[in-house]
Amino acid sequence: MKRREIIHKSAIATTAAATTVACTRRTTAPNVRTGLPTVRWRMATSWPTSIGLFTGPEIIAKRVKEMTGGRFTIKPYAGGELTPALQVLDAVRQGKVQCGHTASYYYIGKSPALAFATCVPFGLNAQQQNAWLYHGGGLELLQKLYGDRFNIINFPAGNTGTQMGGWFKREIKSVGDLKGLKMRIPGLGGQVMSRLGVNVQVLPASDIYLSLERGAIDAAEWIGPYDDEKLGLNKAAPFYYYPGWWEGGPTLDALVNRRAWDKLPKEYQEIFKAAAYEANINMLSQYDALNSEALAKIVAGGTKLTAYTQDIMQAGQKATLEIFEENASKDAEFKQIYEQWKGFREKIYNWNRVNELSFANFVTTDWA
Ligand code: CA
């Protein structure tokens, strides 16, 4: 090759390289073009970092960061780090943190209707709950409640699937055996148990194992096999009851302070919403996969898997209906959501008897 040709070719190569660099710079630095700001948020949560529930905050933080090229970041903190585990709603409302991840039913003392955001006893499973929230008018009602009462916007951001019915130091064969029992159980489930004679305790996750192991309480419900084993509950009590009839498909919520939310660019709001959707479905899928393995493991380790008797379930359901009606008669917010929810529940039960239930009954019993 002649020298002139070499110079010419290398000049072309250099120009091409410079063009590539310029293009790359434009595509990797869209903040120059869009002017989207750097936003740093803190997220208070109700959870220890070691358990499955913490995947909700983690997914939101990871996806928001990825989808904004690192310009909007959210740092989740374990329960108790920024604020007590069961006071996340207040921390978000007061603007101590921009957002939180928690279970709305921890706050039924502020408004009993918040129970519907998580779950109510003998209510909906995860699939039905999502149908109600996203397409049955549920989320609209709950966002109005959170907005009006707490200056918060809420998004479903995780679900455990149907939970287990808790750990007991001794066998419970009838409603009578529940009388005087000290049990950790929050929400309306706790109110129902209270009517069945249980001495109800509400403890954060971090306190359950020691309380049960040392006998300060006689029973405790937490989540399901995967998380319960992580807390060591299978080492603190031998009897593991099912089903968790007070938690058919509990939803966890991402709560955002309204002022902080309104300051976000529209793009970041949409990204946060998408990340919350992702947390909602991903957590449920993860639990379904992990729980079956964890249950087999703890049963092999000596846990006695035991079903609630029909009379306990029926007494629980009766007490639940009484609580629903009482709350509805004295709390307008509860009444409004309860009546709308009840209508939806009837429709989806009727549909699911035909499709999901008949299918599940066959494949899990007749055929298996
Ligand atoms: Ca639970």
Side-chain angles (χ1 to χ4, degrees):
M1 194 182 281
K2 290 179 182 170
R3 189 167 172 270
R4 187 182 294 169
E5 266 185 350
I6 293 169
I7 292 167
H8 181 65
K9 283 193 176 170
S10 78
I12 290 170
T14 307
T15 309
T19 307
T20 308
V21 168
C23 285
T24 307
R25 276 200 192 121
R26 275 200 295 278
T27 53
T28 54
N31 55 331
V32 174
R33 192 179 66 229
T34 61
L36 287 170
T38 297
V39 176
R40 303 274 176 262
W41 275 12
R42 295 188 307 164
M43 176 185 267
T45 81
S46 301
W47 327 119
T49 56
S50 59
I51 63 165
L53 293 180
F54 204 77
T55 58
E58 282 174 339
I59 289 167
I60 292 174
K62 179 172 180 286
R63 297 296 289 141
V64 163
K65 185 179 176 190
E66 286 170 352
M67 288 190 272
T68 61
R71 286 188 296 284
F72 180 14
T73 55
I74 300 168
K75 186 167 167 39
Y77 291 83
E81 274 192 276
L82 297 178
T83 192
L86 304 184
Q87 292 175 26
V88 170
L89 186 152
D90 279 331
V92 174
R93 173 169 58 173
Q94 292 157 5
K96 286 182 186 164
V97 288
Q98 295 87 355
C99 62
H101 193 275
T102 188
S104 295
Y105 71 3
Y106 289 144
Y107 315 103
I108 54 172
K110 299 179 190 297
S111 169
L114 287 176
F116 291 102
T118 313
C119 60
V120 294
F122 302 99
L124 305 175
N125 68 20
Q127 189 170 315
Q128 295 165 338
Q129 172 82 348
N130 283 334
W132 178 62
L133 289 170
Y134 293 131
H135 293 283
L139 186 55
E140 220 177 308
L141 287 169
L142 292 165
Q143 286 186 333
K144 182 164 187 333
L145 172 64
Y146 262 113
D148 290 350
R149 288 287 306 276
F150 306 109
N151 200 33
I152 280 172
I153 184 164
N154 57 301
F155 301 99
N159 196 307
T160 65
T162 305
Q163 295 199 356
M164 287 294 285
W167 297 87
F168 289 77
K169 291 277 208 187
R170 57 176 193 271
E171 208 170 351
I172 305 299
K173 292 179 179 165
S174 68
V175 177
D177 289 343
L178 290 169
K179 294 218 182 327
L181 215 69
K182 283 190 193 157
M183 180 177 187
R184 182 270 176 194
I185 173 170
L188 286 184
Q191 291 183 11
V192 173
M193 280 296 195
S194 174
R195 292 193 183 202
L196 303 187
V198 170
N199 180 348
V200 170
Q201 316 279 314
V202 179
L203 306 170
S206 51
D207 296 349
I208 302 174
Y209 171 77
L210 273 186
S211 303
L212 189 61
E213 202 267 337
R214 290 177 182 175
I217 54 176
D218 310 299
E221 75 83 50
W222 175 225
I223 298 173
Y226 180 75
D227 283 333
D228 290 2
E229 194 207 8
K230 291 243 179 243
L231 285 196
L233 301 185
N234 52 316
K235 296 192 174 69
F239 297 99
Y240 198 18
Y241 275 77
Y242 69 92
W245 40 263
W246 49 91
E247 290 179 297
T251 299
L252 291 320
D253 276 300
L255 306 183
V256 182
N257 177 283
R258 191 76 220 193
R259 284 188 303 281
W261 179 256
D262 289 342
K263 279 188 210 157
L264 285 182
K266 178 77 177 155
E267 291 90 336
Y268 289 4
Q269 291 182 347
E270 292 303 317
I271 285 169
F272 188 96
K273 281 196 256 181
Y277 264 109
E278 197 169 318
N280 201 34
I281 185 66
N282 205 344
M283 187 194 294
L284 177 65
S285 314
Q286 179 174 279
Y287 268 121
D288 278 337
L290 294 175
N291 274 329
S292 60
E293 291 173 18
L295 181 64
K297 190 174 153 197
I298 57 181
V299 168
T303 286
K304 298 181 180 79
L305 196 58
T306 316
Y308 274 110
T309 58
Q310 282 295 301
D311 82 307
I312 292 176
M313 300 275 285
Q314 283 161 356
Q317 193 174 37
K318 185 166 170 283
T320 297
L321 290 174
E322 288 168 8
I323 291 169
F324 284 164
E325 295 302 327
E326 286 169 18
N327 280 340
S329 72
K330 61 188 178 203
D331 187 293
E333 290 167 345
F334 188 96
K335 185 173 194 289
Q336 188 200 9
I337 297 183
Y338 172 54
E339 285 181 354
Q340 194 276 350
W341 173 89
K342 201 162 57 165
F344 182 87
R345 183 182 62 167
E346 191 183 337
K347 283 190 285 185
I348 199 128
Y349 276 6
N350 285 339
W351 165 231
N352 283 170
R353 266 185 212 107
V354 174
N355 71 333
E356 302 284 351
L357 195 63
S358 61
F359 177 73
N361 274 343
F362 182 81
V363 296
T364 58
T365 55
D366 299 44
W367 183 69

